[in-house]
Amino acid sequence: MSTLVSSWAKKVQAVPASYIQPKEKRPEDTAAPVCKDIPVVDLARVEGHDRYEVVQTIMKASQDFGIFQVINHGIPGELMNDTMSLFKEFFDMEAEEKAVYYSEDKTKSFRLYANQYSPKASKVDSWRDTLHHSCHPLEEKIQSWPEKPARYREVVGTYVLEVKNLSLRILDLICEGLGIELGYFGDELTKAQQLVVNHYPPCPDPSLVLGVGGHYDSQILTLLQQETYGLQIFNDGKWVGVEPLPDAFLIGINDQLEIISNGKLKSTFHRAVTNTSIARTSLASFIGPSVESIIEPAKALVSESNPKLFKPISSKDYLDIYMAAAGGSKFSALETLKL
């Protein structure tokens, strides 16, 4: 059986054994109730009298859920649609055309792969194919990206730059909410950028599989574009769904931002489920530090009455701990750093 799920998923009537999750991890209810309380932040309001209210909404969402959605964010809907359509077109190409990009070499700037997450991750396969783009420095990394479909480098390169700018705007709003100087995240702490495109083909029995098992994100911020339901977060002791909104980005707090905020913001445990009828493609942009960066609580957030909650660590060392953590459990690599 070919490695790429998209090359054979339409041809099977039952889930192959290697993809069946243990009973305790199966998403028995793939249509978990959609959480209606996740805030939707209108970024057009930050330029007016509502700025303080917007910042407070972001802070509360980042504490209660670890995620929020943004609309009127400045990235053209046409660019978002073109980028999504282009990736769908890529995954619809013949298996032979895609095979040239397949690689299990994690050092490559661009690669197509399946079923890789971490060395100690569950041995059960995930129902997805993944495209991974390293994006910094863009002028160098883009040379390894495909030239087919047409305009791939042009469209995706523009998208990557727009998303990076949006991430910095959102991080400045978070700076306001935390009470640290604007631009705190403007250099080494957001130097790294990755675009990860996950493609989840229809599945004959979604109650047995996971597109992505439960995990935390390791970087600073995630910006997710999605059109089709599939994302779930673990909140108040249960899994709840996150509704996709047209032309919106879902913003996720990552582990290293939880450290820098001294625990004021919370990284969220989340997973992806599948469905029987349509493929789901999601675009996840991860903004993170240079590997040399030392990650620790911002000094402005530490005092006698608010002691430091986490030990300092280099971003590289944190990522090593994260990748060695048990995949698919609610263990957080942050636990190893708590004072």
Side-chain angles (χ1 to χ4, degrees), residues 4 90 93-104 108 110-113 131 144-148:
L4 292 175
F90 180 93
M93 292 193 312
E94 294 296 328
E96 295 75 19
E97 293 182 280
K98 291 182 287 190
V100 66
Y101 302 111
Y102 186 88
S103 175
E104 297 184 4
K108 286 197 169 184
F110 176 87
R111 64 192 182 100
L112 171 65
Y113 62 92
L131 274 179
S144 66
W145 298 0
E147 295 184 275
K148 186 179 180 180

Side-chain angles (χ1 to χ4, degrees), residues 285-298:
S285 295
F286 298 101
I287 308 298
S290 63
V291 291
E292 301 86 5
S293 294
I294 300 300
I295 307 303
E296 61 183 333

